Amino acid sequence: MSFHDRLREWRESTGRTQEEMAQALEMSLQSYSRYERGVREPKASHLQMLSSMGCDLTWLVTGETVRSYEGEERGRAASIGRIDRDLWRQVKQVVRGVYNRERVRLPEHIMDDILLSKYNALARMSPTQDKLPAALEMIEAQLLEEMDQNHPDAAQTKDRA
């Protein structure tokens, strides 16, 4: 699998469209499309932005994952081949649902960090199918608590209905 294939696979695993990726990378859709078609290689600044969005650059560039001395994968998320896509979808639905319901808008890179953090926490718990709803509820409660603690001015950023 080539770089452009891994980039497309990572984008799809995060549920983003090419348009959303182009916007997040502050570039035109046409330029981003060239990355996924293998016509162009990304600039270092775009690789840095991808990393801040949770993309494992070692995997993206080489196809290999790097293990830390503790035996855990390096980077902020598991390599794409090990992401449970159904669990990712469910966590994404809970996280985005909480922020949408509370009408709190965050920059996309911060939302991505939160998504990755909650996904990784839940993935480490490895809940069985029957315990998954309770685990997702726990994630939702944590989000609401963190929102109150980390964003005391959230009331100011909430959309007025």
Side-chain angles (χ1 to χ4, degrees), residues 60-126:
L60 183 64
V61 173
T62 67
E64 302 291 325
T65 57
V66 177
R67 301 258 178 204
S68 72
Y69 65 93
E70 296 172 359
E72 294 180 1
E73 288 194 15
R74 186 174 169 189
R76 296 186 338 211
S79 77
I80 198 67
R82 296 188 184 170
I83 286 179
D84 179 330
R85 292 173 194 267
D86 187 49
L87 183 61
W88 175 261
R89 183 188 53 75
Q90 291 180 60
V91 170
K92 182 177 178 180
Q93 185 176 7
V94 167
V95 171
R96 293 200 183 269
V98 166
Y99 280 89
N100 287 338
R101 188 174 60 244
E102 296 297 315
R103 293 187 174 128
V104 175
R105 304 292 178 244
L106 296 175
E108 198 63 30
H109 70 282
I110 293 174
M111 182 62 78
D112 289 341
D113 287 345
I114 293 167
L115 267 168
L116 289 168
S117 169
K118 296 306 174 190
Y119 170 82
N120 286 334
L122 199 57
R124 281 191 294 273
M125 290 171 44
S126 301

Side-chain angles (χ1 to χ4, degrees), residues 20-69:
E20 291 169 329
M21 285 298 296
Q23 184 179 18
L25 295 174
E26 301 170 357
M27 63 190 314
S28 71
L29 172 59
Q30 184 179 21
S31 292
Y32 178 78
S33 175
R34 288 180 183 137
Y35 288 172
E36 285 196 7
R37 288 183 289 138
V39 175
R40 256 181 102 190
E41 297 294 321
K43 296 191 276 184
S45 62
H46 291 145
L47 289 173
Q48 184 178 12
M49 293 168 102
L50 286 167
S51 177
S52 73
M53 294 166 66
C55 185
D56 179 346
L57 292 186
T58 301
W59 173 81
L60 183 64
V61 173
T62 67
E64 302 291 325
T65 57
V66 177
R67 301 258 178 204
S68 72
Y69 65 93

